[in-house]
Each structure stands twice: as structure tokens, then as C-alpha cells.
Amino acid sequence: MDLHYGDTSFTLTLPPERLLGVIRPEIGVPVDRPETIIAAALDRCAETIGTFRSGERVVIVTSDITRYTGSEVYLPLLVERLVAAGIRERDMEILVALGIHRKQTEHEHQKIAGPLHGRIRIVDHDCDDPGQLAFIGRTSNGIDVNVNRRVMEADRVILTGTIGFHYFAGFGGGRKSILPGVASRATCMASHFAVLNPGEGTGKNPLAVTGNLEGNPVHGAMVEACAMVEPDFILNTVLSPDKRIMAAFAGPWREAHEEGCRFYAERFAWPLREKADLVVVSCGGFPKDINVIQSHKAMEYGSQALKEGGGMVLLAQCRDGYGNATFFDWFRFRDLGAFETRLRSHYEINGQTAYSLLQKAQKFRVILVSELPPEEVRTMGMTPARSLDEAMAQAAEFLPADYTAYVIPEGGTVLPVIKP
């Protein structure tokens, strides 16, 4: 079996009697063309679009280049509907929901907008520019919500993006276009801080986990912020592991998003009867393993299939390093208690991801196949390897003779779930 690693792959050789299963999404090949899928979803918004009037200013929020959504397909079709409703192209604006990410290059704007590039104005959100931000309210758990002024000053707001699992917000898409997408840095940090239970040393909220919205405090804060904006509708895609549009959900921002989340969970959650001693996980190759922060998703999901103290071999090239300049600095805290204390007093989203990684590195025996310096991999609590064969040889040293294993070829897209 070949497993992707960056732009290449490694061949895995595993005794058949050791293999419990290959964990991959239970999906088929999309039947319809992407344009047909998007058109059908937009048909559900025809009545709402019919209320748009000439002269109104429309802001379309979409994701940045780190989250492929199919925007070059759906944005032109969406704009076509708006033009048919009487909205002039000069009254439309595409706002890239960067959250706290870096600005996009012109080439990246072109990839996002597709054939609309040069026709429709496209701007990046800046979470640190107070001149771009407006205070719109406070959530029930005390988060001050500041968002991009363009959203608040528009006559109409449309949210677009893609739905997938998120390791502590439950799912991506929908309300995340507002928070963290176009929110201030302080608002982003405060909403993500909700992942921690109130009180020193109490750890992570057990409801702030992958695939769960019910009672999830991070999701709750995002929903409240989105409700303050009152978007006219959303258009969210669901992508296959090879990035083809397989479904789209459009309509009222809360209902359409929840419908899409149910659809995604039914197809990308993989039922387990038992956990294994070993999981071999590939992020799925480039760009899913471009850096440690992106690769953590596959590590998080794959760990759900592991016995306590089991071993993980993670294929994550990390050609761009860690994904953020401050991420590795957090590993000066090797004790989880001290790490949590620092995270509570100096919260960073990257610190939250680093904390989650260290939790798994201490709970399991993780062998990381990557291009990172070996001493830095060890600092993060993992064992370094340069090839899959080397990693498997290292795993053999601690695995029982009768070990069991799962293989996960697309670790960033499928969530193993124990079923009673």
C-alpha cells in the first residue's frame, strides 16, 4: 500500500494478520459536475436572492488559500445569480476570511476568485487593523465581538466556505466565516480560549471535540457572533479527499450549516469495533502535510483509533516547518500542568494546538516521519524518522508480537469513532 508524503509516497508493508482495517471515508465518486451541484444548492436560495435590489452593496466572505473550498467554481456561479437579481459587479466585494493568518498574494487571490479575478474587488481581512474593525456586541460568556467593518456596513452578507471536521470547534464552515474568519485578533483568541474549562488546572472542555456541536462552548461563541451579523445566507461545499466538490449546502446560515455537518459526519466518520496497538497515518500528502499545525489534524483524528499507550507512525513532510513562528516556542513547557498554566495566562491559538499535540505525544508513542530537525521532533515529545521503513522498525521495538494495526491513508479527512 502506498501512502502519500509531500509530493511523493512511501510503500507500507504490513503482515495481513496484523491489520484490523484500512480507515478511509465511505464515499463514492461524485455523480454530478461541480457546477451542477452548486447550481442546485443556489436554487434553494432563489427566494432570498430575489429580495436583493440594485444599488445594494454585497460582501461575499470566503476562505483563504490554506483551506481549499472550490471557490473558483462557486464564486462565479454565485455572482452570476446576483447579477441576474440586479446587483452590479462594482457593488460586490469578496472579503477573504483570514482570521489570524497572513495576507494573501496576488496569485493566491487569483486562485481563490478564479475567473472573477480582476472583475470583482477582493480584499484581505486584517485582524490587527483597528480601522477595519467594529464592535458589534458581547457573547453570553463575555467575549467582545469585533468584526471587519465591511461586513457590518454592507447591505447584504453572504458566507461561503467548506465543511469539514475541526478538532475543537466540532466542524468548520458556516459561522466560522465570521468568527474567527473576519474577527479581531482579541476576539479570535477569546473564542478559542473557550476550549479550556473554567478554573486553573481543569484542562480542556470535554465537549470541545471533533465532530461535536452540542454543548460545544467554542461553537456556541461562534454561533452567537454570527447571529450578530445576520448573514443573508451561506453557501458551503463538502469536498472529497481528492478535493472534488461532492455536495453543497446553501440557505439560512445556521440550518444549512447543520445540514452540511450531518452529511459530512455520515460519510467521514468511520465506525470502529475496537482500538489498535498501532496506527499508521498519512496526512494525505501536500498540502495537507505542509506544516506541523496542518498535520496535527491527522494526528488528532488518528489517535482516536489507538489504545492507551499505543504507537502512531505519522507521515507529515512539514516542508514549511511549523506553520507559525511562535508554535515551537511552546514546547519549552514539557509538563502539561505548567503548559496549561502558561496557556491560560498568555493564550495563543498556536499554543492551543501545541498543547493538544503534546498531550497526544505523552499519551501515545508517536514516530514522526518528516523533514524537521530530529532534535526538534524530540523536543515535541515524538521520535523522529526519515522514512516509513525506519519508523516501522522503531515501532517494532516496542509493539507486542501479536500487535494489531489500522492504516489511515487520508488522516486529515476521516474520524475513527468507537461504536457500542
Side-chain angles (χ1 to χ4, degrees):
M1 180 185 305
D2 289 337
L3 299 176
H4 294 298
Y5 174 82
D7 293 322
T8 62
S9 63
F10 288 113
T11 300
L12 173 67
T13 303
L14 196 68
E17 66 272 17
R18 303 274 72 88
L19 185 64
L20 285 179
V22 178
I23 298 176
R24 49 169 49 108
E26 297 292 335
I27 59 173
V29 177
V31 175
D32 295 321
R33 296 174 61 248
E35 293 81 4
T36 303
I37 294 171
I38 298 301
L42 287 172
D43 286 345
R44 299 172 61 181
C45 300
E47 185 176 344
T48 300
I49 294 174
T51 66
F52 285 36
R53 294 291 177 261
S54 178
E56 289 184 320
R57 294 175 54 207
V58 179
V59 166
I60 303 169
V61 181
T62 200
S63 301
D64 70 10
I65 205 70
T66 66
R67 292 177 176 84
Y68 180 73
T69 63
S71 59
E72 79 284 3
V73 176
Y74 64 68
L75 286 176
L77 295 174
L78 173 58
V79 166
E80 183 180 294
R81 299 289 182 110
L82 297 178
V83 169
I87 303 297
R88 298 170 297 193
E89 288 191 354
R90 67 173 179 266
D91 290 330
M92 302 181 206
E93 187 172 64
I94 297 170
L95 177 60
V96 182
L98 293 181
I100 63 169
H101 296 177
R102 64 162 174 80
K103 288 184 178 295
Q104 307 290 272
T105 66
E106 190 66 21
H107 177 64
E108 288 167 341
H109 278 171
Q110 186 173 359
K111 291 179 72 175
I112 291 168
L116 295 178
H117 187 258
R119 285 173 44 196
I120 306 295
R121 176 178 165 84
I122 181 168
V123 295
D124 289 333
H125 169 65
D126 186 342
C127 67
D128 295 314
D129 182 357
Q132 284 193 26
L133 301 167
F135 174 75
I136 59 171
R138 183 173 289 116
T139 68
S140 58
N141 59 346
I143 297 172
D144 287 343
V145 180
N146 292 275
V147 300
N148 195 291
R149 287 184 180 277
R150 288 179 171 85
V151 169
M152 298 314 300
E153 293 172 356
D155 297 300
R156 303 285 189 163
V157 176
I158 302 167
L159 308 183
T160 71
T162 194
I163 292 171
F165 288 128
H166 188 280
Y167 85 98
F168 61 84
F171 292 87
R175 73 286 185 241
K176 278 186 95 257
S177 291
I178 298 299
L179 176 59
V182 295
S184 71
R185 183 177 295 273
T187 300
C188 292
M189 295 298 182
S191 68
H192 286 56
F193 186 82
V195 73
L196 297 173
N197 283 316
E200 188 73 28
T202 55
K204 181 181 174 182
N205 190 304
L207 297 177
V209 294
T210 308
N212 178 59
L213 298 179
E214 189 68 31
N216 187 324
V218 179
H219 168 66
M222 294 173 176
V223 165
E224 289 188 49
C226 195
M228 295 175 193
V229 174
E230 296 183 351
D232 288 84
F233 64 91
I234 70 166
L235 170 61
N236 277 186
T237 57
V238 170
L239 306 177
S240 64
D242 59 356
K243 295 184 179 180
R244 287 180 293 177
I245 295 173
M246 56 182 289
F249 297 86
W253 65 270
R254 190 194 298 256
E255 291 81 358
H257 179 247
E258 290 177 353
E259 181 185 0
C261 291
R262 289 190 295 270
F263 176 93
Y264 192 92
E266 288 169 2
R267 287 156 181 82
F268 290 88
W270 204 88
L272 294 181
R273 295 187 305 275
E274 59 181 307
K275 296 189 176 186
D277 300 295
L278 172 71
V279 293
V280 181
V281 186
S282 166
C283 299
F286 181 84
K288 297 173 185 177
D289 66 355
I290 189 172
N291 58 48
V292 176
I293 291 175
Q294 290 298 320
S295 301
H296 170 262
K297 181 189 297 186
M299 183 183 185
E300 170 71 22
Y301 302 168
S303 70
Q304 306 304 310
L306 262 183
K307 293 178 181 178
E308 189 86 23
M312 174 186 293
V313 172
L314 178 64
L315 300 178
Q317 185 183 46
C318 302
R319 67 173 66 170
D320 284 359
Y322 296 98
N324 186 277
T326 67
F327 180 83
F328 183 73
D329 295 342
W330 281 94
F331 291 94
R332 66 187 184 275
F333 302 103
R334 308 299 292 275
D335 175 77
L336 286 172
F339 199 133
E340 182 189 329
T341 297
R342 181 66 176 181
L343 190 60
R344 288 180 182 275
S345 62
H346 295 77
Y347 187 81
E348 287 182 2
I349 295 172
N350 299 313
Q352 166 61 38
T353 305
Y355 177 75
S356 181
L357 188 154
L358 186 61
Q359 280 183 311
K360 288 183 282 293
Q362 293 189 0
K363 184 176 181 181
F364 308 108
R365 303 180 71 165
V366 181
I367 302 170
L368 178 64
V369 182
S370 76
E371 293 183 354
L372 298 171
E375 63 275 12
E376 294 183 6
V377 175
R378 293 188 186 96
T379 297
M380 292 187 289
M382 298 180 287
T383 301
R386 288 302 188 195
S387 70
L388 178 55
D389 286 344
E390 179 185 345
M392 294 300 290
Q394 291 173 341
E397 295 177 4
F398 63 78
L399 287 170
D402 59 348
Y403 75 89
T404 56
Y406 287 112
V407 179
I408 311 179
E410 293 280 349
T413 59
V414 60
L415 178 68
V417 178
I418 285 287
K419 294 295 184 181

